Amino acid sequence: MKEKKINSKTEKKILDEIIRVDHAGEFAATRIYDGQIAIFGKNSKIGKTIKHMADQEQEHIDAFNKLIVENRVRPTALLPIWNLAGFCLGASTALMGKKAAMACTVAVEKVIGDHYGEQINLLKNDQKKLKKKIKKFQKDELEHHDIGISHDAKKAPAYGLLSSVISLGCKTAIALSKKI
């Protein structure tokens, strides 16, 4: 009896969705931090913290910009919406105060950290390099989550509601960006 060879190749459709949605998510993350920095300034104490996270997000989007081209993946058609929505989310939470801005970071990075974990499990042996990159980015995102917690995110007014709404928005954006 012949043994079946285990499929160690990631389906093109899955790979395209992963690259498309991660590109969109990292782009939106840079815009969220841009919105927060626009309110706080990059030289304020909280601005410097946000700038550190924004710099890491820029590294992530740069990587996915390359992967989009290398793998000939169509970016999401929703980028103009994520551009505006990300900036507005960042600016509006910053206008609510430092704790609300950090609550935004915590909510977004929790969703993204979980999402990256799911993707790591979807990637097969042919995508070891991408899997390694996503693991590194996941570590960065979880660091951002922890930074938000350490900056009193949970003390933001209506933290539970704010966190739930932002998490739902992120999950919706992920689902839409995979396909559109």
Side-chain angles (χ1 to χ4, degrees):
M1 191 157 126
K2 207 174 183 181
E3 284 187 43
K4 276 188 174 181
K5 189 175 180 183
I6 296 173
N7 183 2
S8 62
K9 188 166 170 50
T10 306
E11 289 181 43
K12 173 77 170 133
K13 179 181 175 250
I14 301 278
L15 182 63
D16 287 358
E17 284 182 359
I18 287 171
I19 293 171
R20 180 179 305 108
V21 75
D22 290 356
H23 175 263
E26 296 298 350
F27 175 75
T30 63
R31 298 301 292 145
I32 290 168
Y33 289 130
D34 286 346
Q36 291 177 344
I37 289 169
I39 301 304
F40 294 127
K42 62 182 170 192
N43 294 319
S44 67
K45 187 175 178 188
I46 194 69
K48 289 176 183 176
T49 299
I50 294 168
K51 178 81 172 87
H52 162 74
M53 296 185 289
D55 289 346
Q56 287 179 318
E57 297 296 351
Q58 188 61 51
E59 175 192 339
H60 301 177
I61 189 59
D62 290 347
F64 281 107
N65 280 335
K66 287 180 186 170
L67 286 166
I68 281 269
V69 173
E70 288 171 4
N71 290 277
R72 305 182 109 194
V73 175
R74 176 189 53 77
T76 180
L78 300 172
L79 278 180
I81 294 169
W82 303 156
N83 179 23
L84 183 61
F87 187 88
C88 288
L89 177 60
S92 63
T93 55
L95 286 169
M96 294 169 63
K98 295 174 191 174
K99 293 173 186 167
M102 290 296 109
C104 175
T105 295
V106 168
V108 169
E109 302 299 20
K110 168 81 171 89
V111 171
I112 301 309
D114 292 348
H115 177 69
Y116 275 159
E118 292 167 11
Q119 289 182 338
I120 289 163
N121 292 328
L122 288 173
L123 293 169
K124 306 289 186 202
N125 292 337
D126 66 320
Q127 294 297 325
K128 287 179 182 171
K129 196 171 159 185
L130 178 57
K131 191 182 266 197
K132 183 178 179 182
K133 192 172 298 239
I134 290 175
K135 283 180 181 178
K136 191 258 188 232
F137 293 169
Q138 180 187 41
K139 183 176 175 267
D140 292 346
E141 306 299 0
L142 295 176
E143 175 193 324
H144 301 170
H145 171 276
D146 294 347
I147 288 169
I149 295 291
S150 72
H151 282 82
D152 295 327
K154 291 187 176 183
K155 293 181 181 176
Y159 173 78
L161 177 63
L162 185 63
S163 180
S164 294
V165 169
I166 293 170
S167 294
L168 179 61
C170 288
K171 290 174 184 175
T172 302
I174 287 168
L176 292 171
S177 293
K178 281 182 184 178
K179 305 295 180 190
I180 299 174

